[in-house]
Amino acid sequence: CTKEGQERANGILTSRLEMVEGVFAPEACMLAARKVAAASGDARRALDICRHALDVAEREGSKHVGSIHIQKAITSMYQSVKTKAVTQATLYQKLFLKAVLGVFRRKGVEEAVY
């Protein structure tokens, strides 16, 4: 996680979230930027986290998105059943999934019918 990557992600987030000014707390944006910079650096992922956090805040009846909503969004996004299954898979299961993904990418297929 570089400081530069974090600042870049935070800048992108801030500029994209300007239209909902006052809804996202500055520390919430920073948390999302830090998490994304540490993992992938993909600003789209940070925007996705913010979108999920907004959903969480709305379900809780809050008009503002804080750090707790960002954290809940990250947890729900990365602790899904599918994510747990992949992270807990054996080495050979992961290699198999990687091989299948490679075939899908080469063939341009997005889903399989079995």
Side-chain angles (χ1 to χ4, degrees):
C1 172
T2 65
K3 184 77 170 166
E4 180 181 301
Q6 180 182 335
E7 289 173 358
R8 186 168 16 104
N10 189 44
I12 292 170
L13 274 179
T14 317
S15 68
R16 293 289 175 101
L17 297 176
E18 281 179 346
M19 66 176 94
V20 288
E21 189 176 331
V23 175
F24 284 85
E27 66 272 4
C29 290
M30 285 299 295
L31 177 61
R34 274 197 317 269
K35 293 289 187 177
V36 168
S40 66
D42 188 359
R44 291 172 296 184
R45 175 105 31 215
L47 290 168
D48 200 30
I49 289 170
C50 289
R51 184 176 53 81
H52 281 281
L54 186 59
D55 291 341
V56 170
E58 285 178 352
R59 280 194 305 267
E60 293 179 358
S62 178
K63 295 185 184 222
H64 301 284
V65 177
S67 296
I68 189 72
H69 300 113
I70 295 289
Q71 195 58 48
K72 286 179 181 180
I74 291 168
T75 301
S76 71
M77 289 173 66
Y78 296 108
Q79 295 300 319
S80 70
V81 175
K82 292 176 185 175
T83 303
K84 284 182 183 177
V86 171
T87 57
Q88 294 176 353
T90 66
L91 173 63
Y92 292 109
Q93 291 168 332
K94 288 178 184 178
L95 289 172
F96 174 76
L97 289 172
K98 190 172 181 177
V100 170
L101 182 62
V103 170
F104 278 16
R105 285 184 177 159
R106 275 195 308 279
K107 302 255 182 191
V109 177
E110 291 190 17
E111 58 185 55
V113 179
Y114 55 97

